[in-house]
Amino acid sequence: MSTAPHASQRAARTGNDEFLLTPGPLTTSLTVKQAMLRDWGSRDKKFIALNARIRDKLVQIAGGGSDYTCVPVQGSGTFAIEATLGTLLPRDGRLLVLVNGAYGERMMKIAKYMGRSAIALSCAEDRTPDLTSLETLLAEDAAITHVAAVHCETTSGILNPIRKIADIVVKHGRGLIIDAMSAFGAIPLDVGEVTCDAVVASSNKCLEGVPGMGYAIIRRSVLEGCEGNAHSLALDLYDQWRGFEANAQWRFTPPTHVLAAFDQAVAEFEEEGGVAARNGRYSENRRTLVAGMREMGFETLLPDELQAPIIVTFHMPADPKFDFAAFYDKLAARGYVIYPGKLTVAPTFRIGCIGQLQKQDMEDALAVIRETVDEMGVKLGALAGT
Ligand SMILES: *Cc1c(COP(=O)(O)O)cnc(C)c1O
């Protein structure tokens, strides 16, 4: 068995033995990890300045001006989603969730836990939401106060038409909450053009930080009216925001090391050239990956025009010699960690394009995949009937 190519360069760049070809947590740079090698007092002036810098920059990345504010919250992305829904939705509000994957489903589940009225407009995981039905629902159900949509549904890797969705929601005078978790920083989204009440994301996806913090970029005029909505003290983004406004500090113990790493990650993001550059690098990763996999005989779930440059879903090959668990273990042993599928429509697996990955890394991953498929004696192309 050969070792994976460029293992030493990989370690120098990332400090890792393995590349994570996953949707996050993902491969971060060595320098992002090194930013965590000190402790911070949460009342430290430098730490307070670091927080203010991150909050300002996140608003800028979303294209927001002084009419938006960034409210971070401890925890993973789901904590930020739950906090945003709970803070923005009045107790007697009604949520319409556009569902075409697990993350849309999760927002329905959150609404149920919170005891908020919610309905789903669902479609298959390889389809984008039906905009005509969205129009009809908003026209006919006056009780709906908010719509929640996922920008890139990581379940499949599909890119939802967020701008068209926003235009319809605005036209009907409702509030839009966007789960942009796996898109933020890599797929352009400007709140000046895509009108919404909030955009939610986390530290450990396309901005390439470490996990432990989520955040919402919220329209200030909306947030001002949200006092008393939240069902949870820890997840009350209104109270969290008032805390920051009062003394620039977190209400409860901040994830100090996560923030220090995130500050470095955001600086590296800017150095690379912001959203355009990151989109360019990830898009090239995706093109390289998809072309190489197709050449071997693998098939993508999605047509190229629906595929975001974040994560790609592949059909499991029909050959019974293809054992996913063995395939996964062999790739991981050679330095490439892929991701299982999460679809209900078809047996699949996923390969991510995001994190500290370049075109060469995708080519190296393809070489290892080819070697592994050969070693397993798998015949590809069975799905295509070739
Ligand atoms: C990652 C992700 C989340 C949050 O998941 P966590 O596991 O809580 O970080 C939410 N929505 C989407 C679309 C995601 O990709």
Side-chain angles (χ1 to χ4, degrees):
M1 186 191 295
S2 73
T3 55
H6 308 294
S8 60
Q9 282 158 279
R10 183 164 67 219
R13 253 171 54 209
T14 70
N16 295 344
D17 294 333
E18 292 163 341
F19 270 128
L20 304 181
L21 282 75
T22 58
L26 41 62
T27 310
T28 60
S29 69
L30 182 60
T31 37
V32 161
K33 285 187 265 295
Q34 283 166 341
M36 293 186 283
L37 290 176
R38 63 158 287 189
D39 303 310
W40 299 81
S42 58
R43 310 284 181 240
D44 182 314
K45 279 210 182 70
K46 277 195 218 138
F47 179 68
I48 286 174
L50 179 152
N51 284 299
R53 182 162 63 236
I54 291 174
R55 289 181 60 213
D56 285 350
K57 283 184 177 174
L58 291 172
V59 172
Q60 277 171 29
I61 293 168
S66 57
D67 46 340
Y68 281 82
T69 188
C70 172
V71 190
V73 65
Q74 298 92 332
S76 81
T78 303
F79 290 63
I81 296 281
E82 183 160 339
T84 305
L85 292 176
T87 302
L88 264 52
L89 248 93
R91 302 273 172 123
D92 60 355
R94 179 163 162 81
L95 183 67
L96 168 62
V97 185
L98 304 181
V99 179
N100 58 346
Y103 294 102
E105 292 285 2
R106 190 175 296 174
M107 289 198 278
M108 284 301 292
K109 200 169 174 183
I110 289 170
K112 285 217 177 76
Y113 263 77
M114 297 190 310
R116 300 294 210 284
S117 163
I119 50 162
L121 173 59
S122 302
C123 68
E125 291 152 331
D126 55 355
R127 296 283 155 82
T128 56
D130 178 12
L131 300 179
T132 311
S133 303
L134 172 62
E135 286 260 14
T136 309
L137 268 169
L138 292 178
E140 289 178 355
D141 189 342
I144 295 168
T145 54
H146 293 78
V147 175
V150 183
H151 192 183
C152 167
E153 197 15 291
T154 323
T155 309
S156 63
I158 200 167
L159 186 62
N160 284 323
I162 205 67
R163 185 162 183 167
K164 287 182 185 157
I165 292 167
D167 288 348
I168 292 169
V169 175
V170 169
K171 185 175 127 196
H172 289 270
R174 315 296 168 75
L176 176 64
I177 296 164
I178 302 173
D179 171 353
M181 206 70 60
S182 62
F184 194 77
I187 299 174
L189 182 118
D190 185 330
V191 293
E193 288 168 11
V194 178
T195 307
C196 59
D197 285 356
V199 177
V200 189
S202 72
S203 53
N204 64 281
K205 298 223 170 160
C206 299
L207 290 176
E208 301 186 0
V210 304
M213 194 193 88
Y215 48 89
I217 290 125
I218 310 176
R219 186 190 293 278
R220 214 177 266 272
S221 58
V222 166
L223 189 55
E224 279 161 0
C226 290
E227 185 172 8
N229 283 350
H231 58 294
S232 154
L233 171 65
L235 297 180
D236 185 351
L237 293 188
Y238 176 85
D239 199 53
Q240 185 93 323
W241 173 59
R242 297 308 294 174
F244 280 115
E245 296 290 296
N247 58 14
Q249 294 174 10
W250 291 68
R251 290 177 302 163
F252 314 128
T253 303
T256 46
H257 297 74
V258 174
L259 284 153
F262 200 39
D263 187 44
Q264 175 65 25
V266 171
E268 290 177 14
F269 165 80
E270 287 180 331
E271 216 168 285
E272 184 175 348
V275 176
R278 197 141 291 187
N279 184 276
R281 175 160 63 85
Y282 291 172
S283 296
E284 186 169 43
N285 288 348
R286 174 198 53 188
R287 273 193 302 276
T288 306
L289 173 71
V290 168
M293 291 292 279
R294 283 186 181 148
E295 207 178 292
M296 277 183 251
F298 286 97
E299 282 185 31
T300 60
L301 172 79
L302 298 173
D304 292 349
E305 63 275 13
L306 293 181
Q307 176 69 62
I310 305 296
I311 189 162
V312 182
T313 300
F314 294 97
H315 286 286
M316 291 286 186
D319 187 341
K321 281 195 186 142
F322 187 86
D323 170 6
F324 179 74
F327 181 64
Y328 178 98
D329 288 343
K330 283 172 186 291
L331 294 182
R334 293 171 195 188
Y336 297 88
V337 176
I338 63 168
Y339 214 60
K342 204 178 193 172
L343 288 196
T344 53
V345 291
T348 55
F349 65 91
R350 290 177 286 176
I351 300 183
C353 312
I354 63 178
Q356 273 297 298
L357 298 169
Q358 322 256 355
K359 184 178 186 203
Q360 182 64 52
D361 303 318
M362 305 314 278
E363 285 172 352
D364 293 347
L366 287 164
V368 168
I369 290 170
R370 204 171 285 120
E371 207 175 275
T372 306
V373 163
D374 286 350
E375 190 185 296
M376 293 173 83
V378 173
K379 271 208 195 64
L380 292 170
L383 282 168
T386 52

